[in-house]
Amino acid sequence: MSQLSEQELVRREKLAKLRDLGINPYPADLYPVKDTSKSIKTNFKEENKVVIAGRLMSRRIQGNASFAELQDADGRIQVYFNRDEICTGDDKSKYNDVYKKLLDIGDFIGVEGELFLTKVGEKTVKVKNFTLLSKALKPLPLPRTDADGKVHDAFTDPEQRYRQRYADLVVNPQVKEVFVKRTKLFNAMRQFFNDSGYFEVETPVLQPIPGGAAARPFITHHNALDIPLYMRIANELYLKRLIVGGFDGVYEFSKNFRNEGMDRTHNPEFTAMEIYVAYKDYNWMMDFCERLLEHCAIAVNGSTKATFGEHEIDFKAPYARVTMADSIKHFTGFDITDKSEDEIRQAAKDLGIEVDATMGKGKLIDEIFGEKCEGNYIQPTYITDYPKEMSPLCKEHRDNPELTERFELMVCGKEIANAYSELNDPIDQRERFEHQLKLAAKGDDEATEFIDHDFLRALEYGMPPTSGMGIGMDRLIMFLTNNQSIQEVLFFPQMRPEKKPLAISDDAKAVLEILKKVENLDLVALKGQSGLSNKKWDKTIKELTKNNLAKVEKTDDGLFVSVV
């Protein structure tokens, strides 16, 4: 266990005193909650009796009376503690000892009382009885507001907030609203699909082949079968098997896992939605997608419009449609149509784009589009008709065999949806897989290294014309809630291991506090401010430098110490 703070030690002492009084600080029995802060405010009527439970979030104790705030899942409500209302007999210990001395901010309590309005019109619960439901042993990182209204010690550090999401949700109520909207998005999308007659399914997370996308998988081992298994990178090939099996429309919200980098828009574990509908093509899917997103935006925000950074995005259908070739020509002046791989590679170099020998034609075009075009699309825009090399699972374009019937939906320069007229020719599909193997052998890290022979067998049984679409749910909710980081829309994003705090001496802590107040300090002056003897000073400065907490640098003006 890490060293306890003074406050944590005090709380543990209170815990022991509560037990000595015969009070169980973690009772097992049900507490009969009948009301919430929201229902009390909505249906408020003076003298109504209520039973509510939540965290004690603030207190203003004034002798024999106290106003406090109780926070539950719906918000906060003011509660009023009066000694003589709670302790009707001669024994006043429940108020004087338990409430005033042994309860802390953050404790869960249950309250029975009746409603009244204060002189300033505040809806309040007058406490008749209270029960300790859970003692908090660690103080919440609550912000303080001074007399001028300035907030201090706000819990805003992203790394701390993501690591301690439980504390973040308690002290930053606005964070909870993001996750409420996330659930609204899933519910709205699910309702739209169900109302359209499509069927929600589940497919394997552990797969013998990482298929359906080009990504580095997480690998595990199945002991009983003695085989490697891969965490799902996509569910596409399994959903198409179900179309082969006779379902007209299937969808899944899937947890996918990719063993790749982490940044503001990527987490190793993420949620995607994929839907496949028989007898449709990508033109139909474009109409379907824009109606879906219009419906979802209204369900989440009450409007088709959403703010993202400095932009106001409007998800109202219809959306603009631009072919990839036209987009590249518009922003670069280069026409990729009928150009060879060497011509496209040279054009990329001329445009200042870094390329290498491992890149095939499709990858080169993707790099040009990503560098020169993608960021220009702020309002929802479909980029259509991708080159065949970029889309190994997509049907050849009906009018141009060099292209495929594919679109990506761009918003604020990012892709949020990807859809195809699905390739259902098993011979063509096998050739595409084999071409991907050649690209992988050449060094293309985005080409698939596996051929899913069972999926090819499924296609040989026959798959009807089908259109499929995938939507990155985490990225979509980022746009709908104005969050620039994917970590803000995941309850528990992946984090690097937490560094354990170094255990240093009190003398070292004192010197470090002096240093933190200045950029650097003369060694002699720092020693003088520390008030340490020569022996203690030598030991302390060695401790700080050895633990890489401070450094000593020689300059023309002498020796100076600074915080690392």
Side-chain angles (χ1 to χ4, degrees):
M1 182 186 291
S2 60
Q3 189 173 358
L4 296 175
S5 68
E6 184 179 348
Q7 285 192 60
E8 289 172 307
L9 289 170
V10 168
R11 288 185 179 224
R12 278 165 169 74
E13 289 172 6
K14 292 180 180 182
L15 184 75
K17 288 177 182 178
L18 285 163
R19 287 186 164 131
D20 289 343
L21 290 171
I23 298 172
N24 183 353
Y26 306 104
D29 43 325
L30 171 149
Y31 189 78
V33 177
K34 295 194 302 183
D35 307 278
T36 67
S37 59
K38 183 178 180 180
S39 70
I40 288 172
K41 292 174 183 176
T42 303
N43 307 309
F44 184 83
K45 186 177 179 182
E46 287 200 272
E47 299 185 357
N48 267 9
K49 289 181 168 49
V50 297
V51 181
I52 187 172
R55 277 188 193 271
L56 195 61
M57 294 300 289
S58 69
R59 285 197 297 181
R60 302 185 303 280
I61 298 176
Q62 298 167 332
N64 296 336
S66 170
F67 281 99
E69 279 187 306
L70 206 64
Q71 178 171 298
D72 63 9
D74 290 340
R76 293 190 184 187
I77 187 77
Q78 181 168 270
V79 290
Y80 173 66
F81 290 81
N82 182 286
R83 186 189 67 180
D84 296 329
E85 291 282 349
I86 294 167
C87 309
T88 54
D90 293 335
D91 183 0
K92 307 296 183 184
S93 62
K94 185 160 188 177
Y95 180 84
N96 290 339
D97 296 328
V98 178
Y99 173 72
K100 288 178 68 173
K101 297 177 182 178
L102 301 180
L103 292 193
D104 288 294
I105 301 302
D107 290 351
F108 278 92
I109 62 171
V111 166
E112 300 169 52
E114 62 182 41
L115 305 181
F116 77 103
L117 278 176
T118 64
K119 291 178 181 178
V120 295
E122 181 83 12
K123 296 173 180 177
T124 306
V125 180
K126 183 189 295 182
V127 180
K128 297 293 185 179
N129 190 25
F130 70 90
T131 304
L132 176 61
L133 301 176
S134 181
K135 181 71 182 163
L137 298 183
K138 187 178 284 290
L140 289 166
L142 286 168
R144 298 178 293 106
T145 305
D146 62 23
D148 299 323
K150 192 173 181 181
V151 177
H152 301 270
D153 302 324
F155 193 55
T156 55
D157 179 72
E159 180 154 336
Q160 286 188 327
R161 288 180 49 241
Y162 303 153
R163 287 192 192 282
Q164 300 180 49
R165 183 67 85 189
Y166 35 86
D168 186 32
L169 291 164
V170 175
V171 303
N172 294 320
Q174 72 280 6
V175 171
K176 185 176 180 181
E177 184 59 27
V178 172
F179 294 98
V180 170
K181 288 186 172 184
R182 183 183 173 104
T183 294
K184 286 181 178 179
L185 171 62
F186 279 76
N187 289 344
M189 195 172 283
R190 183 174 276 114
Q191 177 195 11
F192 192 88
F193 295 151
N194 291 345
D195 290 348
S196 299
Y198 306 133
F199 195 66
E200 185 171 9
V201 299
E202 292 181 281
T203 62
V205 173
L206 292 173
Q207 302 180 352
I209 291 175
R216 181 181 297 146
F218 287 93
I219 306 173
T220 186
H221 185 81
H222 191 291
N223 290 333
L225 296 176
D226 193 23
I227 58 170
L229 289 174
Y230 303 87
M231 298 288 282
R232 173 170 57 198
I233 60 172
N235 54 352
E236 176 172 345
L237 302 186
Y238 283 90
L239 293 176
K240 288 182 184 177
R241 285 170 167 92
L242 298 179
I243 297 296
V244 170
F247 285 95
D248 280 350
V250 292
Y251 70 93
E252 181 179 17
F253 294 100
S254 67
K255 282 288 187 183
N256 295 345
F257 307 85
R258 297 185 181 180
N259 197 358
E260 297 170 342
M262 298 190 301
D263 57 32
R264 291 172 65 85
T265 58
H266 295 89
N267 193 67
E269 175 183 350
F270 63 97
T271 304
M273 184 290 304
E274 293 203 26
I275 183 168
Y276 292 83
V277 185
Y279 312 111
K280 311 296 184 187
D281 66 4
Y282 80 137
N283 292 311
W284 176 89
M285 189 62 83
M286 276 187 265
D287 296 334
F288 183 78
C289 177
E290 59 196 19
R291 287 188 290 112
L292 168 69
L293 294 185
E294 180 179 313
H295 167 80
C296 289
I298 293 170
V300 171
N301 289 324
S303 167
T304 60
K305 295 181 179 179
T307 299
F308 187 73
E310 61 186 19
H311 303 295
E312 182 181 73
I313 313 161
D314 195 347
F315 285 97
K316 185 172 178 58
Y319 304 158
R321 304 181 184 191
V322 182
T323 69
M324 176 164 275
D326 286 346
S327 177
I328 291 175
K329 187 174 182 180
H330 176 75
F331 288 109
T332 70
F334 177 68
D335 189 353
I336 62 171
T337 307
D338 298 327
K339 296 297 191 298
S340 68
E341 181 178 313
D342 289 340
E343 289 173 311
I344 295 171
R345 178 175 279 103
Q346 186 58 50
K349 291 178 181 177
D350 294 343
L351 291 166
I353 296 169
E354 191 173 329
V355 298
D356 59 55
T358 68
M359 294 180 178
K361 188 175 180 180
K363 177 68 172 172
L364 291 166
I365 293 170
D366 192 29
E367 287 294 311
I368 294 172
F369 178 77
E371 288 282 335
K372 300 298 181 180
C373 310
E374 194 172 71
N376 295 295
Y377 296 104
I378 304 303
Q379 295 303 320
T381 304
Y382 291 122
I383 305 300
T384 69
D385 302 347
Y386 281 54
K388 186 182 289 187
E389 292 83 357
M390 295 176 67
S391 313
L393 297 166
C394 186
K395 184 170 283 190
E396 184 179 285
H397 198 284
R398 66 198 73 182
D399 298 323
N400 185 340
E402 296 296 312
L403 304 176
T404 56
E405 296 200 345
R406 174 185 178 185
F407 73 79
E408 287 187 332
L409 177 62
M410 311 302 299
V411 177
C412 287
K414 299 290 183 183
E415 170 228 328
I416 61 170
N418 185 22
Y420 306 158
S421 293
E422 299 296 336
L423 180 58
N424 59 345
D425 178 342
I427 296 173
D428 188 2
Q429 181 65 83
R430 185 179 296 277
E431 290 172 353
R432 303 268 197 101
F433 278 155
E434 289 170 349
H435 180 65
Q436 287 286 301
L437 288 181
K438 291 176 183 176
L439 291 176
K442 189 178 176 182
D444 187 342
D445 58 4
E446 291 192 9
T448 181
E449 300 179 55
F450 298 89
I451 292 181
D452 190 335
H453 293 285
D454 180 70
F455 174 66
L456 290 172
R457 178 169 58 190
L459 285 187
E460 288 172 353
Y461 280 108
M463 185 175 84
T466 299
S467 184
M469 175 174 66
I471 292 177
M473 299 299 290
D474 305 316
R475 187 171 290 177
L476 178 55
I477 198 62
M478 286 169 63
F479 287 122
L480 291 173
T481 59
N482 194 17
N483 277 297
Q484 308 288 322
S485 170
I486 193 172
Q487 287 81 12
E488 291 289 352
V489 300
L490 300 174
F491 270 130
F492 304 106
Q494 190 66 47
M495 304 288 290
R496 289 182 174 84
E498 190 170 4
K499 290 182 180 178
K500 293 183 179 179
L502 286 170
I504 59 174
S505 67
D506 290 341
D507 288 339
K509 288 177 185 176
V511 172
L512 204 55
E513 286 303 312
I514 296 171
L515 280 173
K516 286 179 179 177
K517 295 174 183 176
V518 294
E519 188 172 332
N520 57 33
L521 194 60
D522 178 84
L523 183 71
V524 176
L526 179 61
K527 180 184 175 184
Q529 288 189 34
S530 73
L532 297 173
S533 66
N534 288 338
K535 186 176 181 181
K536 281 191 172 183
W537 168 253
D538 289 342
K539 183 179 179 182
T540 299
I541 197 68
K542 285 178 182 176
E543 181 181 2
L544 288 172
T545 54
K546 180 181 177 182
N547 288 310
N548 201 32
L549 296 172
K551 61 182 178 181
V552 180
E553 293 180 299
K554 187 175 182 179
T555 71
D556 294 338
D557 297 322
L559 293 172
F560 284 81
V561 188
S562 59
V563 175
V564 174

